[in-house]
Amino acid sequence: MKKIIYPGSFDPITNGHLDLIKRALIIFDEVIVAVAKREEKRPLFSWEERIDLAKKAIKELDLKNVVVEGYNSLLIDFCKEKNIFAILRGLRAVADFDYEFQMALTNRKLSPEIETIFFVPSPEYIFLSASLVKEIAKYGGCLKKFVPSCVEKALREKFSQ
Ligand code: ADP
């Protein structure tokens, strides 16, 4: 069974992330969405909330063979623990390239048997980021094209607090 780990902050999960998961499911039998704790990045949603929202979004889209898990360790250690040797990352417009390249090569140095695979989203998501979604939510803009409705609801609640 071919499995791949899709790590990220998912603060919150967006249609861009979900587009990548759907593409990965064409090639892989199972996708593990690995939500990094990363509290030093001061996420809007807590680790538990981000995991819960990712699970709800997968359910809302009725995606099969997707598992959501949290991790709070070095990514390569999480991969080894799961016995999975493929990492999925996304490449949007040029902005992602430097960081993703650096991370993929560092992970390869640490663990040469683990391969990073890059997917490109549908053009409508190429400029979509969780930060942009939070900015739109903050000012009450329409989120329908960017996130599933369970995430839209959570964002509305968060910003009405
Ligand atoms: P991180 O903090 O690890 O970058 P993110 O949740 O921001 O976590 O992103 C996880 C991965 O998903 C990254 O590889 C990022 O490039 C990718 N990604 C995020 N949004 C999109 C999108 N709209 N289209 C394609 N890939 C995306």
Side-chain angles (χ1 to χ4, degrees), residues 59-79:
K59 199 167 171 204
E60 187 177 321
L61 271 74
D62 199 24
L63 295 177
K64 305 283 182 252
N65 306 318
V66 183
V67 176
V68 179
E69 284 187 37
Y71 78 102
N72 186 24
S73 60
L74 260 187
L75 176 59
I76 50 156
D77 290 338
F78 180 72
C79 293

Side-chain angles (χ1 to χ4, degrees), residues 92-112:
R92 289 165 288 188
V94 279
D96 279 334
F97 187 78
D98 274 2
Y99 176 68
E100 294 294 341
F101 198 52
Q102 185 185 25
M103 206 167 71
L105 289 180
T106 307
N107 281 333
R108 180 180 285 164
K109 259 208 171 107
L110 292 171
S111 204

Side-chain angles (χ1 to χ4, degrees), residues 6 8-10 16-17 41 89-90 92 96 100 121 125 128:
Y6 182 22
S9 310
F10 301 101
H17 294 123
K41 273 184 91 182
R89 294 288 290 180
R92 289 165 288 188
D96 279 334
E100 294 294 341
Y125 303 128
L128 179 59

Side-chain angles (χ1 to χ4, degrees), residues 16-62:
H17 294 123
L18 290 158
D19 180 85
L20 247 56
I21 294 169
K22 284 189 228 161
R23 287 173 196 284
L25 285 170
I26 298 168
I27 301 172
F28 291 88
D29 302 308
E30 188 174 291
V31 176
I32 287 115
V33 176
V35 182
K37 190 167 185 191
R38 292 267 190 90
E39 265 155 15
E40 70 282 1
K41 273 184 91 182
R42 300 183 140 267
L44 174 67
F45 291 99
S46 71
W47 191 29
E48 293 75 15
E49 285 172 327
R50 286 178 282 135
I51 294 171
D52 184 53
L53 278 178
K55 285 184 180 167
K56 283 184 178 150
I58 300 297
K59 199 167 171 204
E60 187 177 321
L61 271 74
D62 199 24

